Amino acid sequence: GAQPKLLTKPEIADASETARKTAVVIKSINKLIESTTTGVHVILGQDAGNSPVARALLDASTDESTSKGAPSIVSMSLDWMHTLPLVEAPKRPQTTGRLLIFVGTAGKYLSMC
């Protein structure tokens, strides 16, 4: 397995190191997705809104009433939901038993725990 490396000063990875580490992460996430039985829940933080991939995920998503039992759920996190005018509190999809992938600032994910 990988061994932790203590950095005495910040280092910026070059393109080949970034590609290598990205491949490792993709392989790990694919294994997690394949091993989960109920599905995947992708939660997009407000800061992920500038990403064209995040926008495409949201554009391709349907409303909650048609997503029940779907293997993949895409939703906005509460830091994004409070920017929308709503009459009632938003209903959060159940994430129990699903692989949770949070895209955004890590500190905002910790507030969900």
Side-chain angles (χ1 to χ4, degrees):
Q3 296 296 319
K5 179 179 165 184
L6 179 62
L7 300 177
T8 56
K9 60 182 179 177
E11 293 178 9
I12 297 175
D14 61 6
S16 64
E17 186 178 356
T18 301
R20 184 179 60 79
K21 290 181 179 182
T22 300
V24 169
V25 170
I26 289 171
K27 188 175 181 180
S28 298
I29 291 174
N30 281 336
K31 283 182 184 177
L32 287 169
I33 290 171
E34 290 168 0
S35 68
T36 188
T37 55
T38 1
V40 177
H41 185 178
V42 179
I43 299 178
L44 302 171
Q46 184 178 10
D47 46 352
N50 296 325
S51 165
V53 175
R55 286 289 178 182
L57 280 171
L58 285 173
D59 289 343
S61 300
T62 59
D63 65 356
E64 183 183 344
S65 62
T66 59
S67 67
K68 299 230 186 288
S72 300
I73 297 174
V74 177
S75 63
M76 295 184 290
S77 68
L78 290 181
D79 70 322
W80 202 346
M81 293 297 288
H82 83 276
T83 64
L84 302 174
L86 298 170
V87 176
E88 58 186 43
K91 295 178 185 171
R92 297 178 71 183
Q94 289 293 329
T95 58
T96 308
R98 291 181 175 270
L99 172 63
L100 175 67
I101 300 174
F102 183 83
V103 181
T105 305
K108 292 179 182 177
Y109 164 73
L110 292 175
S111 68
M112 294 171 43
C113 298

